[in-house]
Amino acid sequence: MNPHGHAFWWLVAAFCCVWYSTVTVYVAIKGARDIRGMLGRLARTKRAGEPDSERAR
């Protein structure tokens, strides 16, 4: 086996792991912000006293 090929594939695998981790963390942060915003809007709507039947429309 070519020793240079081993290093190449190790670098490709390492790059893929770093890329996947970065995307995962990015999506987790954006999702957490989105969920926090949705829960905040839900709490404000509940405090406003709007009946559930009107919100469904």
Side-chain angles (χ1 to χ4, degrees):
M1 177 170 216
N2 184 355
H4 299 293
H6 180 74
F8 170 76
W9 288 112
W10 187 90
L11 287 172
V12 169
F15 173 78
C16 289
C17 289
V18 168
W19 174 79
Y20 185 79
S21 299
T22 302
V23 169
T24 301
V25 169
Y26 177 77
V27 168
I29 290 170
K30 295 291 270 188
R33 263 190 220 153
D34 194 29
I35 290 170
R36 187 178 301 134
M38 286 188 289
L39 290 175
R41 284 190 300 276
L42 181 61
R44 284 192 301 274
T45 303
K46 283 285 194 185
R47 280 193 300 253
E50 185 178 316
D52 291 339
S53 60
E54 288 183 25
R55 227 178 323 154
R57 285 188 230 158

XYZ file of all heavy atoms in Angstrom:
455
model
N 0.839 -1.182 0.000
C 0.000 0.000 0.000
C 0.882 1.243 0.000
O 1.900 1.299 0.664
C -0.925 -0.010 1.212
C -1.772 1.221 1.320
S -3.033 1.012 2.577
C -4.320 1.892 1.789
N 0.438 2.246 -0.698
C 1.171 3.493 -0.806
C 1.021 4.288 0.490
O -0.089 4.618 0.893
C 0.604 4.278 -1.997
C 1.372 5.552 -2.268
O 2.270 5.919 -1.527
N 1.004 6.220 -3.329
N 2.117 4.636 1.167
C 2.005 5.378 2.424
C 1.431 6.780 2.248
O 0.850 7.346 3.158
C 3.431 5.426 2.953
C 4.306 5.158 1.790
C 3.512 4.338 0.828
N 1.568 7.341 1.063
C 1.029 8.678 0.825
C -0.492 8.648 0.739
O -1.160 9.597 1.134
C 1.626 9.286 -0.444
C 3.106 9.434 -0.381
N 3.727 10.302 0.477
C 4.101 8.799 -1.052
C 5.030 10.212 0.330
N 5.288 9.307 -0.588
N -1.034 7.577 0.215
C -2.480 7.437 0.123
C -3.126 7.363 1.494
O -4.237 7.857 1.709
N -2.443 6.755 2.443
C -2.972 6.636 3.808
C -3.165 8.023 4.425
O -4.209 8.301 5.022
C -2.021 5.787 4.654
C -2.473 5.610 6.059
N -3.516 4.779 6.398
C -2.045 6.169 7.215
C -3.707 4.830 7.700
N -2.820 5.668 8.227
N -2.196 8.884 4.271
C -2.291 10.238 4.822
C -3.412 11.021 4.133
O -4.153 11.774 4.786
C -0.961 10.970 4.673
N -3.550 10.833 2.833
C -4.598 11.531 2.099
C -5.971 11.156 2.640
O -6.788 12.027 2.924
C -4.511 11.190 0.604
C -5.697 11.670 -0.177
C -5.821 13.011 -0.505
C -6.700 10.788 -0.570
C -6.919 13.474 -1.216
C -7.800 11.234 -1.276
C -7.908 12.579 -1.607
N -6.240 9.882 2.798
C -7.551 9.451 3.267
C -7.780 9.830 4.720
O -8.902 10.110 5.132
C -7.753 7.950 3.047
C -7.935 7.664 1.592
C -7.091 6.996 0.773
C -9.026 8.100 0.771
N -7.592 6.982 -0.504
C -8.773 7.642 -0.536
C -10.182 8.828 1.006
C -9.647 7.896 -1.586
C -11.050 9.072 -0.045
C -10.783 8.605 -1.325
N -6.713 9.867 5.518
C -6.857 10.320 6.902
C -7.275 11.788 6.922
O -8.161 12.178 7.686
C -5.550 10.127 7.667
C -5.717 10.415 9.118
C -6.056 9.547 10.089
C -5.584 11.700 9.756
N -6.151 10.197 11.296
C -5.863 11.515 11.132
C -5.261 12.975 9.318
C -5.824 12.562 12.051
C -5.221 14.016 10.236
C -5.504 13.801 11.578
N -6.658 12.594 6.080
C -7.016 14.019 6.011
C -8.449 14.210 5.504
O -9.176 15.070 6.006
C -6.040 14.775 5.116
C -4.645 14.996 5.705
C -3.719 15.589 4.651
C -4.721 15.882 6.922
N -8.860 13.431 4.529
C -10.231 13.526 4.022
C -11.214 13.171 5.132
O -12.217 13.872 5.345
C -10.428 12.618 2.786
C -11.903 12.501 2.421
C -9.631 13.140 1.600
N -10.941 12.089 5.855
C -11.828 11.669 6.946
C -11.864 12.728 8.052
O -12.934 13.042 8.593
C -11.379 10.326 7.504
N -10.718 13.294 8.404
C -10.658 14.319 9.436
C -11.443 15.564 9.005
O -12.199 16.144 9.795
C -9.210 14.687 9.744
N -11.294 15.967 7.739
C -12.028 17.116 7.227
C -13.532 16.864 7.294
O -14.299 17.743 7.704
C -11.610 17.428 5.786
C -12.447 18.503 5.155
C -12.225 19.837 5.473
C -13.471 18.187 4.277
C -13.012 20.840 4.909
C -14.253 19.177 3.710
C -14.023 20.502 4.020
N -13.967 15.671 6.913
C -15.397 15.341 6.952
C -15.934 15.382 8.381
O -17.041 15.870 8.609
C -15.639 13.971 6.332
S -15.426 13.958 4.536
N -15.165 14.884 9.333
C -15.602 14.918 10.732
C -15.721 16.352 11.242
O -16.691 16.691 11.928
C -14.640 14.120 11.607
S -14.747 12.343 11.351
N -14.753 17.190 10.911
C -14.798 18.589 11.330
C -15.983 19.296 10.677
O -16.715 20.032 11.341
C -13.470 19.304 10.995
C -13.586 20.811 11.157
C -12.354 18.755 11.870
N -16.182 19.066 9.388
C -17.306 19.685 8.677
C -18.636 19.241 9.273
O -19.512 20.065 9.539
C -17.237 19.320 7.191
C -18.421 19.800 6.417
C -18.652 21.062 5.960
C -19.563 19.032 6.043
N -19.873 21.116 5.314
C -20.441 19.883 5.350
C -19.920 17.694 6.216
C -21.652 19.442 4.840
C -21.129 17.258 5.709
C -21.973 18.135 5.029
N -18.797 17.952 9.502
C -20.045 17.420 10.055
C -20.302 18.000 11.449
O -21.422 18.385 11.772
C -19.986 15.899 10.115
C -21.277 15.260 10.552
C -22.331 15.105 9.672
C -21.448 14.831 11.867
C -23.519 14.528 10.071
C -22.639 14.258 12.281
C -23.676 14.104 11.376
O -24.841 13.547 11.786
N -19.274 18.073 12.275
C -19.418 18.632 13.621
C -19.815 20.097 13.568
O -20.671 20.548 14.332
C -18.112 18.479 14.399
O -17.780 17.122 14.531
N -19.202 20.846 12.666
C -19.518 22.264 12.534
C -20.970 22.467 12.119
O -21.685 23.297 12.691
C -18.585 22.919 11.495
O -17.232 22.715 11.910
C -18.856 24.393 11.347
N -21.428 21.712 11.146
C -22.812 21.834 10.680
C -23.772 21.433 11.798
O -24.800 22.087 12.018
C -23.035 20.984 9.415
C -24.512 20.885 9.066
C -22.258 21.568 8.252
N -23.451 20.381 12.528
C -24.308 19.913 13.617
C -24.446 20.979 14.705
O -25.554 21.256 15.182
C -23.760 18.606 14.217
O -23.693 17.615 13.182
C -24.624 18.104 15.341
N -23.346 21.584 15.097
C -23.381 22.627 16.124
C -24.156 23.846 15.617
O -24.969 24.424 16.343
C -21.952 23.012 16.563
C -21.949 24.258 17.418
C -21.310 21.849 17.303
N -23.945 24.222 14.367
C -24.646 25.369 13.786
C -26.161 25.141 13.789
O -26.925 26.015 14.196
C -24.145 25.603 12.360
C -24.853 26.719 11.633
C -24.549 28.048 11.910
C -25.824 26.448 10.675
C -25.200 29.078 11.253
C -26.476 27.471 10.014
C -26.162 28.778 10.306
O -26.815 29.790 9.656
N -26.580 23.971 13.350
C -28.007 23.655 13.307
C -28.588 23.595 14.718
O -29.706 24.067 14.959
C -28.253 22.337 12.543
C -29.662 21.828 12.720
C -27.931 22.520 11.070
N -27.833 23.060 15.680
C -28.317 22.985 17.059
C -28.523 24.380 17.645
O -29.530 24.636 18.315
C -27.334 22.196 17.919
N -27.596 25.283 17.390
C -27.711 26.646 17.916
C -28.889 27.371 17.276
O -29.697 28.004 17.967
C -26.390 27.418 17.705
C -25.308 26.850 18.620
C -26.579 28.912 17.953
C -23.921 27.370 18.333
N -29.011 27.282 15.950
C -30.126 27.943 15.272
C -31.458 27.339 15.708
O -32.435 28.068 15.899
C -29.974 27.819 13.753
C -28.759 28.540 13.198
C -28.898 30.019 13.296
C -29.549 30.539 12.057
N -29.573 31.983 11.958
N -31.518 26.029 15.883
C -32.746 25.370 16.323
C -33.135 25.779 17.729
O -34.311 26.004 18.019
N -32.148 25.875 18.619
C -32.435 26.295 19.993
C -32.977 27.715 20.024
O -33.926 28.015 20.760
C -31.176 26.187 20.846
N -32.398 28.601 19.199
C -32.914 29.980 19.114
C -34.342 29.997 18.596
O -35.185 30.745 19.097
C -32.043 30.798 18.167
C -31.008 31.603 18.863
C -30.356 32.560 17.891
N -28.945 32.572 18.220
C -27.969 32.830 17.398
N -28.221 33.095 16.148
N -26.729 32.827 17.802
N -34.606 29.193 17.595
C -35.936 29.137 17.006
C -36.961 28.614 18.012
O -38.047 29.176 18.158
C -35.911 28.250 15.765
C -37.144 28.391 14.910
O -37.740 29.478 14.910
O -37.493 27.406 14.226
N -36.604 27.572 18.734
C -37.508 27.010 19.747
C -37.748 28.024 20.858
O -38.875 28.201 21.322
C -36.958 25.682 20.298
C -37.048 24.606 19.216
C -37.700 25.255 21.558
C -36.331 23.325 19.561
N -36.698 28.713 21.290
C -36.846 29.732 22.330
C -37.802 30.835 21.875
O -38.660 31.294 22.629
C -35.485 30.327 22.681
C -35.551 31.265 23.873
C -34.195 31.816 24.255
N -33.275 30.746 24.592
C -32.016 30.678 24.143
N -31.541 31.604 23.350
N -31.238 29.689 24.500
N -37.673 31.238 20.619
C -38.569 32.260 20.082
C -40.014 31.783 20.006
O -40.940 32.515 20.352
N -40.201 30.539 19.578
C -41.563 29.997 19.500
C -42.194 29.898 20.885
O -43.373 30.223 21.060
C -41.547 28.622 18.837
C -41.316 28.676 17.348
S -41.530 27.084 16.528
C -40.103 26.192 17.102
N -41.418 29.455 21.867
C -41.949 29.353 23.230
C -42.265 30.731 23.799
O -43.255 30.903 24.515
C -40.969 28.609 24.137
C -40.824 27.118 23.843
C -39.732 26.519 24.716
C -42.126 26.380 24.031
N -41.445 31.720 23.477
C -41.713 33.086 23.930
C -42.993 33.634 23.333
O -43.801 34.253 24.030
N -43.184 33.407 22.031
C -44.425 33.865 21.390
C -45.630 33.140 21.964
O -46.685 33.747 22.176
C -44.347 33.644 19.884
C -43.475 34.666 19.178
C -43.601 34.587 17.676
N -43.215 33.294 17.123
C -41.973 32.933 16.827
N -40.973 33.773 17.053
N -41.718 31.753 16.313
N -45.489 31.857 22.240
C -46.591 31.095 22.826
C -46.935 31.630 24.212
O -48.108 31.796 24.549
C -46.225 29.618 22.909
C -47.273 28.678 23.486
C -48.526 28.698 22.631
C -46.717 27.269 23.580
N -45.923 31.945 25.009
C -46.165 32.475 26.353
C -46.845 33.843 26.285
O -47.765 34.122 27.062
C -44.853 32.578 27.119
N -46.405 34.699 25.359
C -47.043 36.009 25.217
C -48.493 35.861 24.774
O -49.365 36.586 25.246
C -46.267 36.869 24.217
C -44.995 37.438 24.778
C -44.420 38.496 23.867
N -44.120 38.017 22.536
C -42.980 37.423 22.163
N -42.031 37.226 23.059
N -42.789 37.041 20.925
N -48.766 34.940 23.899
C -50.135 34.713 23.433
C -51.002 34.205 24.572
O -52.135 34.641 24.741
C -50.141 33.705 22.272
O -49.312 34.203 21.230
C -51.539 33.500 21.730
N -50.469 33.300 25.361
C -51.230 32.775 26.498
C -51.520 33.874 27.514
O -52.605 33.948 28.070
C -50.458 31.638 27.188
C -50.510 30.339 26.460
C -51.859 29.715 26.650
C -51.805 28.267 26.215
N -53.109 27.650 26.273
N -50.534 34.733 27.772
C -50.731 35.819 28.741
C -51.760 36.826 28.247
O -52.450 37.467 29.016
C -49.407 36.527 29.011
C -48.526 35.795 29.988
C -47.413 36.691 30.429
N -46.600 37.116 29.303
C -45.370 36.687 29.042
N -44.806 35.810 29.836
N -44.712 37.132 28.007
N -51.854 36.988 26.946
C -52.804 37.952 26.386
C -54.244 37.488 26.557
O -55.168 38.263 26.363
C -52.501 38.182 24.905
N -54.423 36.220 26.906
C -55.758 35.708 27.178
C -56.551 35.349 25.946
O -57.761 35.238 25.996
N -55.875 35.166 24.832
C -56.560 34.801 23.614
C -57.006 33.344 23.703
O -56.214 32.469 24.007
C -55.611 34.958 22.417
C -56.238 34.719 21.086
C -55.223 34.943 19.981
O -54.480 35.939 20.063
O -55.172 34.123 19.066
N -58.275 33.062 23.466
C -58.762 31.690 23.543
C -58.079 30.787 22.510
O -57.695 31.246 21.440
C -60.255 31.784 23.254
C -60.591 33.222 23.444
C -59.336 33.997 23.187
N -57.947 29.516 22.854
C -57.297 28.567 21.952
C -58.035 28.437 20.626
O -57.419 28.255 19.585
C -57.197 27.185 22.601
C -56.204 27.175 23.759
O -55.350 28.079 23.788
O -56.271 26.264 24.598
N -59.352 28.539 20.630
C -60.138 28.354 19.404
C -59.853 29.464 18.397
O -59.842 29.231 17.193
C -61.637 28.287 19.701
O -62.051 29.486 20.315
N -59.595 30.688 18.841
C -59.308 31.783 17.928
C -57.908 31.658 17.348
O -57.655 32.060 16.236
C -59.441 33.129 18.650
C -60.874 33.502 18.951
C -60.957 34.870 19.597
O -60.049 35.679 19.380
O -61.920 35.105 20.323
N -56.977 31.123 18.093
C -55.614 30.981 17.622
C -55.503 29.925 16.534
O -54.619 29.976 15.700
C -54.715 30.585 18.785
C -53.487 31.397 18.836
C -52.664 31.023 20.008
N -53.518 30.709 21.137
C -53.188 29.908 22.110
N -52.032 29.353 22.120
N -54.006 29.654 23.101
N -56.374 28.939 16.546
C -56.303 27.847 15.581
C -56.677 28.312 14.176
O -56.339 27.664 13.212
C -57.227 26.711 16.017
N -57.369 29.421 14.034
C -57.799 29.889 12.722
C -56.696 30.499 11.938
O -55.768 31.004 12.164
C -58.913 30.916 12.863
C -60.197 30.249 13.213
C -61.305 31.244 13.157
N -62.043 31.098 14.420
C -62.799 32.020 14.923
N -62.902 33.179 14.346
N -63.452 31.823 16.019
